[in-house]
Amino acid sequence: MPGGGVVITGTTDTSRIEAPVTVKAYFICAFAAFGGIFFGYDTGWMGGVLAMPYFIRQYTGKPYPAAGDTVAKAAFHLPASDQSLTTSILSCGTFFGALIAGDLADAIGRRTTIIAGCGIFTIGCILEIASTGLGLMVPGRLIAGVGVGFISAIVILYMSEIAPKKVRGAVVSGYQFCITIGILLANCVVYATQNRDDTGSYRIPIGIQFLWAVILAIGLFILPESPRYYVKKGKLEKAAKALASVRGQPIDSDYIQDELAEIIANHEYEMQVIPQTTWIGSWANCFRGSIFKGVSNSRRTTVGILMQMMQQLTGINFIFYFGTVFFTSLGTISNPFLITLITTLVNVCSTPISFWAVERFGRRTLLIVGASGMVIMQFIVGIIGVTAGKEQGTKTNHAAVSAMVAFICFNISFFAATWGPCAWVVIGEIFPIPIRSRGVGISTSSNWFWNCIIAVITPYLVGTSPGDANLGAKVFFLWGSLCCLSLAFAYFFVPETKGLSLEQVDKMMEESNARHSAKWVPHSTFAHEMGLTKKGVSISGTNADIKAAVIQHEAETKNETDL
Ligand code: BGC
């Protein structure tokens, strides 16, 4: 668009508000999903490292227990408080990281925030690698956590903003797929290094993470910024360039102009509804309006927070964090790595189902089906656990235990194909542009907050020490009941956003409610409503010029009505 001065006018045709997409453009969108590897890998390696003999000896100063010395063997571990601290401190960092990143992504851009996240993560990694005691490991985990928080929130935001509407759900599900691969990789690396009698045992798994940081940072350095960020900043020429790049279309094509006009018009519309105020005021904007009104900001923020909370309360991380201990306690399986491998593999292999299902059936349907499936699977596990699977003296019912393991795997499959990806897809789509980055940040923080709560409380739920709840297989009744809540939440509160542009989602939430949202069809464009189809805006202009065009349109419309 040399020299600027081009006036774009937008379209009244609802089918033309997004440019067609080339294969190259699909790759651009898919690359960002790589950020999920951080998330998965970083949550995946700690459990294994905490159980490594070399690591335990170095941190506790205890000698390796002699073969056959069962007492020394039982005492050869890190104190529970240290284990809890090193595990949960990551969630603490990610919680704050996601919140800060929401703010930063509006100030310095989505891409730059993700690259900054990679930088912070690298500093945390260096401290973790250098550590020979908790003194450095804990701050390292905290700092790396802040980086993961940046990445986990803003990758979702970035992907949702650049992905074409037809495949946005599938592309964001790719992020979840990368999370699952990250968890699997972490488990494999930890397995390969666990018996080394040197610092390589824990330094290698930690060090491998540098690779993820370098790949993501370099990749994003090359990728374009989100055009919606530029529109928010009033940099329309840059927005046009970025949009042309992510759609793989010439910058002066009608398609790019129509799509850009729609994004600009929607932004203008939202700016009228959500006035920009001070820094505190803009945070308060996330909670404006009545929670009972489907379109209000407070409602959208609450749905984002609850969405991620319910995802964690499905109990999936009970299986990933404590599955090994639980399966071993059932008495028939002696190789903990095998169990971990099976559960993580089921998770990886089931996630791609969502690529297709999320666009075929929609987010809402998937969430409802997924929650129903998990309720059934978890109750079956609980029922077998308290009946046929119950310990009877020294005898173990092998068939019952195998059945429990099978149903737990089905449960993982349901999660991986539904709530795993959809929770991320939905939070990337439900917020209007003025509060989108903060909304996604707050929702992601909720994920990490509940992730931490689960990590801290579950050992007590299934623990057998005095004072522990010692629930055993009954814990699945708890998760099953919580999945009933997730089901109700999805049915009453989650709107269907499949196939709509982010701007159309905004309109749908205004005109429909969650239960009827799937039937809503776009009937007008923001460009038309805001008068851009008549007047247009100069993309070398500023936000003030756009405002002037919009105000003029409103005055004209009012005159026409008065006449
Ligand atoms: C969740 C994680 C979970 C992972 C399992 C993610 O969507 O947020 O807490 O460990 O899925 O695949």
PDB file of all heavy atoms in Angstrom, residues 177-191:
ATOM      1  N   PHE A 177      -2.787 -29.780  21.310  1.00  0.00           N
ATOM      2  CA  PHE A 177      -2.037 -30.952  20.835  1.00  0.00           C
ATOM      3  C   PHE A 177      -0.565 -30.795  21.229  1.00  0.00           C
ATOM      4  O   PHE A 177       0.075 -31.739  21.706  1.00  0.00           O
ATOM      5  CB  PHE A 177      -2.198 -31.050  19.310  1.00  0.00           C
ATOM      6  CG  PHE A 177      -1.591 -32.293  18.716  1.00  0.00           C
ATOM      7  CD1 PHE A 177      -1.892 -33.551  19.218  1.00  0.00           C
ATOM      8  CD2 PHE A 177      -0.720 -32.204  17.633  1.00  0.00           C
ATOM      9  CE1 PHE A 177      -1.337 -34.692  18.663  1.00  0.00           C
ATOM     10  CE2 PHE A 177      -0.166 -33.334  17.070  1.00  0.00           C
ATOM     11  CZ  PHE A 177      -0.470 -34.583  17.590  1.00  0.00           C
ATOM     12  N   CYS A 178      -0.043 -29.577  21.051  1.00  0.00           N
ATOM     13  CA  CYS A 178       1.357 -29.342  21.427  1.00  0.00           C
ATOM     14  C   CYS A 178       1.559 -29.478  22.934  1.00  0.00           C
ATOM     15  O   CYS A 178       2.615 -29.922  23.376  1.00  0.00           O
ATOM     16  CB  CYS A 178       1.812 -27.961  20.949  1.00  0.00           C
ATOM     17  SG  CYS A 178       2.036 -27.921  19.175  1.00  0.00           S
ATOM     18  N   ILE A 179       0.549 -29.097  23.724  1.00  0.00           N
ATOM     19  CA  ILE A 179       0.665 -29.285  25.179  1.00  0.00           C
ATOM     20  C   ILE A 179       0.855 -30.771  25.465  1.00  0.00           C
ATOM     21  O   ILE A 179       1.745 -31.178  26.224  1.00  0.00           O
ATOM     22  CB  ILE A 179      -0.601 -28.775  25.933  1.00  0.00           C
ATOM     23  CG1 ILE A 179      -0.766 -27.278  25.776  1.00  0.00           C
ATOM     24  CG2 ILE A 179      -0.543 -29.168  27.412  1.00  0.00           C
ATOM     25  CD1 ILE A 179      -1.991 -26.702  26.496  1.00  0.00           C
ATOM     26  N   THR A 180       0.030 -31.590  24.803  1.00  0.00           N
ATOM     27  CA  THR A 180       0.088 -33.033  25.085  1.00  0.00           C
ATOM     28  C   THR A 180       1.430 -33.617  24.630  1.00  0.00           C
ATOM     29  O   THR A 180       2.007 -34.462  25.313  1.00  0.00           O
ATOM     30  CB  THR A 180      -1.071 -33.790  24.403  1.00  0.00           C
ATOM     31  OG1 THR A 180      -0.933 -33.673  22.983  1.00  0.00           O
ATOM     32  CG2 THR A 180      -2.424 -33.292  24.811  1.00  0.00           C
ATOM     33  N   ILE A 181       1.937 -33.115  23.495  1.00  0.00           N
ATOM     34  CA  ILE A 181       3.243 -33.614  23.030  1.00  0.00           C
ATOM     35  C   ILE A 181       4.335 -33.182  24.018  1.00  0.00           C
ATOM     36  O   ILE A 181       5.255 -33.942  24.326  1.00  0.00           O
ATOM     37  CB  ILE A 181       3.546 -33.094  21.617  1.00  0.00           C
ATOM     38  CG1 ILE A 181       2.559 -33.726  20.635  1.00  0.00           C
ATOM     39  CG2 ILE A 181       4.984 -33.389  21.190  1.00  0.00           C
ATOM     40  CD1 ILE A 181       2.733 -33.296  19.208  1.00  0.00           C
ATOM     41  N   GLY A 182       4.199 -31.951  24.524  1.00  0.00           N
ATOM     42  CA  GLY A 182       5.170 -31.451  25.513  1.00  0.00           C
ATOM     43  C   GLY A 182       5.215 -32.358  26.742  1.00  0.00           C
ATOM     44  O   GLY A 182       6.286 -32.710  27.241  1.00  0.00           O
ATOM     45  N   ILE A 183       4.026 -32.753  27.222  1.00  0.00           N
ATOM     46  CA  ILE A 183       3.973 -33.624  28.411  1.00  0.00           C
ATOM     47  C   ILE A 183       4.650 -34.958  28.088  1.00  0.00           C
ATOM     48  O   ILE A 183       5.466 -35.465  28.863  1.00  0.00           O
ATOM     49  CB  ILE A 183       2.508 -33.863  28.858  1.00  0.00           C
ATOM     50  CG1 ILE A 183       1.829 -32.550  29.231  1.00  0.00           C
ATOM     51  CG2 ILE A 183       2.449 -34.839  30.029  1.00  0.00           C
ATOM     52  CD1 ILE A 183       0.344 -32.672  29.585  1.00  0.00           C
ATOM     53  N   LEU A 184       4.353 -35.494  26.904  1.00  0.00           N
ATOM     54  CA  LEU A 184       4.920 -36.785  26.509  1.00  0.00           C
ATOM     55  C   LEU A 184       6.447 -36.694  26.392  1.00  0.00           C
ATOM     56  O   LEU A 184       7.181 -37.545  26.923  1.00  0.00           O
ATOM     57  CB  LEU A 184       4.310 -37.229  25.163  1.00  0.00           C
ATOM     58  CG  LEU A 184       4.829 -38.545  24.601  1.00  0.00           C
ATOM     59  CD1 LEU A 184       4.374 -39.710  25.464  1.00  0.00           C
ATOM     60  CD2 LEU A 184       4.339 -38.769  23.164  1.00  0.00           C
ATOM     61  N   LEU A 185       6.917 -35.634  25.723  1.00  0.00           N
ATOM     62  CA  LEU A 185       8.372 -35.475  25.558  1.00  0.00           C
ATOM     63  C   LEU A 185       9.068 -35.395  26.911  1.00  0.00           C
ATOM     64  O   LEU A 185      10.107 -36.023  27.136  1.00  0.00           O
ATOM     65  CB  LEU A 185       8.669 -34.186  24.777  1.00  0.00           C
ATOM     66  CG  LEU A 185       8.491 -34.234  23.263  1.00  0.00           C
ATOM     67  CD1 LEU A 185       8.731 -32.861  22.664  1.00  0.00           C
ATOM     68  CD2 LEU A 185       9.480 -35.243  22.676  1.00  0.00           C
ATOM     69  N   ALA A 186       8.467 -34.611  27.818  1.00  0.00           N
ATOM     70  CA  ALA A 186       9.075 -34.452  29.144  1.00  0.00           C
ATOM     71  C   ALA A 186       9.204 -35.813  29.826  1.00  0.00           C
ATOM     72  O   ALA A 186      10.247 -36.144  30.404  1.00  0.00           O
ATOM     73  CB  ALA A 186       8.238 -33.501  29.987  1.00  0.00           C
ATOM     74  N   ASN A 187       8.135 -36.598  29.733  1.00  0.00           N
ATOM     75  CA  ASN A 187       8.182 -37.919  30.375  1.00  0.00           C
ATOM     76  C   ASN A 187       9.254 -38.808  29.769  1.00  0.00           C
ATOM     77  O   ASN A 187       9.958 -39.528  30.481  1.00  0.00           O
ATOM     78  CB  ASN A 187       6.819 -38.597  30.266  1.00  0.00           C
ATOM     79  CG  ASN A 187       5.829 -37.984  31.224  1.00  0.00           C
ATOM     80  OD1 ASN A 187       6.177 -37.677  32.356  1.00  0.00           O
ATOM     81  ND2 ASN A 187       4.616 -37.759  30.781  1.00  0.00           N
ATOM     82  N   CYS A 188       9.386 -38.752  28.437  1.00  0.00           N
ATOM     83  CA  CYS A 188      10.380 -39.603  27.777  1.00  0.00           C
ATOM     84  C   CYS A 188      11.796 -39.164  28.151  1.00  0.00           C
ATOM     85  O   CYS A 188      12.654 -40.001  28.460  1.00  0.00           O
ATOM     86  CB  CYS A 188      10.213 -39.534  26.259  1.00  0.00           C
ATOM     87  SG  CYS A 188       8.688 -40.276  25.716  1.00  0.00           S
ATOM     88  N   VAL A 189      12.048 -37.849  28.143  1.00  0.00           N
ATOM     89  CA  VAL A 189      13.399 -37.366  28.457  1.00  0.00           C
ATOM     90  C   VAL A 189      13.759 -37.715  29.901  1.00  0.00           C
ATOM     91  O   VAL A 189      14.859 -38.204  30.188  1.00  0.00           O
ATOM     92  CB  VAL A 189      13.506 -35.833  28.207  1.00  0.00           C
ATOM     93  CG1 VAL A 189      14.866 -35.315  28.645  1.00  0.00           C
ATOM     94  CG2 VAL A 189      13.268 -35.507  26.740  1.00  0.00           C
ATOM     95  N   VAL A 190      12.807 -37.491  30.794  1.00  0.00           N
ATOM     96  CA  VAL A 190      13.061 -37.791  32.201  1.00  0.00           C
ATOM     97  C   VAL A 190      13.345 -39.289  32.384  1.00  0.00           C
ATOM     98  O   VAL A 190      14.239 -39.694  33.127  1.00  0.00           O
ATOM     99  CB  VAL A 190      11.860 -37.339  33.069  1.00  0.00           C
ATOM    100  CG1 VAL A 190      11.914 -37.966  34.445  1.00  0.00           C
ATOM    101  CG2 VAL A 190      11.852 -35.832  33.185  1.00  0.00           C
ATOM    102  N   TYR A 191      12.611 -40.107  31.642  1.00  0.00           N
ATOM    103  CA  TYR A 191      12.810 -41.555  31.730  1.00  0.00           C
ATOM    104  C   TYR A 191      14.227 -41.913  31.277  1.00  0.00           C
ATOM    105  O   TYR A 191      14.917 -42.727  31.898  1.00  0.00           O
ATOM    106  CB  TYR A 191      11.773 -42.271  30.864  1.00  0.00           C
ATOM    107  CG  TYR A 191      11.901 -43.775  30.913  1.00  0.00           C
ATOM    108  CD1 TYR A 191      11.641 -44.462  32.091  1.00  0.00           C
ATOM    109  CD2 TYR A 191      12.276 -44.494  29.784  1.00  0.00           C
ATOM    110  CE1 TYR A 191      11.745 -45.836  32.152  1.00  0.00           C
ATOM    111  CE2 TYR A 191      12.384 -45.880  29.836  1.00  0.00           C
ATOM    112  CZ  TYR A 191      12.123 -46.542  31.025  1.00  0.00           C
ATOM    113  OH  TYR A 191      12.226 -47.904  31.082  1.00  0.00           O
TER     114      TYR A 191
END
